[in-house]
């Protein structure tokens, strides 16, 4: 394979993290979300890996500097929302281990959230890293897929086959483009993503590779777990496909103002020395963090509160994008 999409556990030079700034997007929780994202960035930096916190303007830069550890690098850039997993560059390894950036079309998760700067931030970050950039002429967000580093990818039908993204492309067309643009030779198609996930079911909230051919999925907790059927369907598809499946308990039923939230420990961020797991004040938080820790014996694993980040629509993985180290 002349090109590969490196797995997230590949060594990283740094990780970009978006810092919340828009009060309209974070009503009532902006300050708390900033604290939680700052704690995430500080934890990565304190682990020995560079963390680049992306801030919008002088006001948010001043706020960030109050919150983060001294080792966090702060960069001021124009961007819309903080979800750099979706708007940032995707980095592939070309021939000889050369890093190259891919940028796809972005339409605000199917036209839901269009914010100034989100169309440009991916190319800007790629240029700042000195990467050659290829722009791909179809809609794709980074959180919609995950890979095992050996040519196998996973996604959901709910997102990649959604007519609000690429209505003129069939499943076969999309699979061919994933192969051409990112080097995915095989795709595992799961069904629905989590209930009320405004991304239309991004897979990074449902299923993650933790080793070649090894997929981790949530296990329903409690009789009222709203996503129990979704987890069961994902497991059946994965086992039929032939990957090894590992379990992490779900947070169970998490609600905010009477609305079911798409809370998931699957939205963990893997860095070179550390894995950061979002927690939600659930009685299952400790069990969830411990289960993720068992999957990464070579790294420290911590849980950090992420309920305010979730209120804005995502988690630590959604808010970050890593720069894999060159071979």
């Amino acid at each position: 394979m002349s090109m590969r999409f490196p797995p997230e556990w590949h060594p990283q030079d740094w990780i970009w993290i978006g810092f919340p700034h828009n009060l309209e997007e974070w009503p009532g929780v902006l300050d708390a979300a900033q604290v939680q994202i700052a704690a995430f960035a500080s934890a990565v930096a304190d682990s020995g890996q560079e963390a680049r916190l992306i801030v919008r303007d002088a006001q948010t830069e001043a706020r960030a500097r109050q919150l983060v550890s001294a080792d966090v690098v702060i960069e001021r850039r124009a961007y819309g929302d903080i979800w750099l997993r979706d708007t940032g560059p995707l980095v592939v390894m070309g021939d000889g281990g050369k890093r190259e950036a891919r940028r796809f079309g972005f339409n605000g998760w199917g036209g839901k959230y269009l914010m100034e700067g989100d169309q440009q931030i991916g190319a800007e970050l790629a240029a700042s890293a000195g990467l050659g950039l290829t722009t791909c002429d179809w809609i794709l967000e980074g959180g919609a897929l995950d890979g095992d580093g050996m040519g196998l990818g996973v996604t959901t039908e709910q997102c990649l086959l959604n007519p609000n993204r690429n209505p003129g492309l069939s499943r076969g067309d999309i699979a061919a483009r994933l192969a051409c643009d990112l080097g995915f030779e095989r795709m595992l198609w799961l069904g629905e993503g989590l209930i009320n996930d405004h991304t239309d079911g991004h897979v990074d909230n449902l299923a993650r590779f933790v080793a070649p051919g090894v997929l981790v999925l949530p296990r329903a907790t409690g009789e009222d777990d709203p996503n129990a059927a979704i987890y069961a369907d994902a497991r059946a598809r994965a086992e039929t496909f032939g990957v090894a499946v590992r379990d992490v308990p779900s947070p169970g039923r998490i609600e905010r103002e009477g609305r079911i939230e798409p809370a998931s420990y699957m939205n963990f961020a893997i860095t070179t020395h550390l894995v950061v797991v979002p927690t939600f004040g659930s009685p299952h938080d400790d069990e969830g963090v411990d289960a993720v820790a068992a999957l990464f014996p070579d790294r420290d694993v911590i849980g950090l509160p992420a309920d305010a980040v979730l209120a804005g629509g995502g988690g630590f993985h959604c808010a970050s994008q890593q720069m894999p180290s060159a071979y």
Side-chain angles (χ1 to χ4, degrees), residues 155-162 171 189-192 237:
T155 189
T156 66
E157 295 172 343
Q158 182 188 0
C159 185
L160 258 64
L161 301 185
N162 198 306
R171 181 196 297 255
W189 291 84
L190 304 181
E192 297 289 307
R237 291 176 184 237

Side-chain angles (χ1 to χ4, degrees), residues 15-18 40 82 84-85 269 315-322:
I15 189 168
W16 289 292
I17 299 172
F40 169 35
I82 72 170
L84 299 181
R85 182 64 48 181
F316 295 138
H317 190 255
C318 302
S320 60
Q321 184 60 260
Q322 70 275 2

Side-chain angles (χ1 to χ4, degrees), residues 84-306:
L84 299 181
R85 182 64 48 181
D86 300 334
T87 59
L90 300 183
V91 181
V92 298
M93 298 295 191
D95 291 331
K98 182 181 178 181
R99 294 176 293 188
E100 305 170 3
R102 299 286 185 268
R103 187 70 205 111
F104 297 82
F106 178 74
N107 70 347
W109 302 279
K112 301 182 192 70
Y113 305 95
L114 297 170
M115 299 177 64
E116 183 179 354
D118 281 343
Q119 301 280 352
Q120 294 80 34
I121 187 63
E124 183 176 337
L125 291 178
S128 74
L131 298 175
L133 178 68
T134 298
T135 300
C136 306
D137 62 347
W138 58 293
I139 302 297
L140 179 69
E141 304 104 35
L145 52 86
D146 195 25
D148 77 341
M150 300 299 290
L152 174 60
V154 62
T155 189
T156 66
E157 295 172 343
Q158 182 188 0
C159 185
L160 258 64
L161 301 185
N162 198 306
N164 65 12
R165 301 299 207 280
N166 299 288
L169 299 181
S170 68
R171 181 196 297 255
D173 293 334
I174 290 172
R177 291 183 180 226
L178 288 170
C180 177
D181 295 336
L182 294 171
F184 286 113
E185 298 174 327
R186 297 185 300 146
M187 290 299 300
L188 164 58
W189 291 84
L190 304 181
E192 297 289 307
L194 269 59
I195 292 171
N196 289 335
D197 184 340
H198 70 225
T199 67
D200 301 312
H202 272 188
V203 79
D204 68 349
N205 232 19
L206 172 65
R208 302 285 299 280
F209 283 111
V210 295
V214 180
L215 189 74
V216 61
L217 290 166
R219 181 183 70 250
T221 54
E223 295 182 357
D224 63 344
D225 192 316
N227 293 292
I230 292 169
Y231 301 151
D233 179 69
R235 169 178 282 276
R237 291 176 184 237
E239 291 178 342
T240 298
F241 188 87
V243 297
V245 177
R246 303 289 183 265
D247 283 339
V248 167
S250 88
R253 189 181 192 92
I254 302 293
E255 295 187 5
R256 179 178 176 82
E257 298 177 349
R259 177 182 182 272
I260 295 170
E261 290 278 70
S264 177
Y265 303 129
M266 293 298 96
N267 211 264
F268 54 78
I270 309 169
T271 65
T272 302
H273 310 294
L274 181 70
V275 179
V276 183
V277 184
T279 62
F280 309 99
S282 164
H284 307 291
D285 282 350
D286 289 344
E287 184 185 2
V289 174
D290 288 346
V292 175
L295 300 168
F296 294 97
D298 61 334
R299 287 168 167 83
D300 292 332
V301 178
I302 62 171
L304 290 177

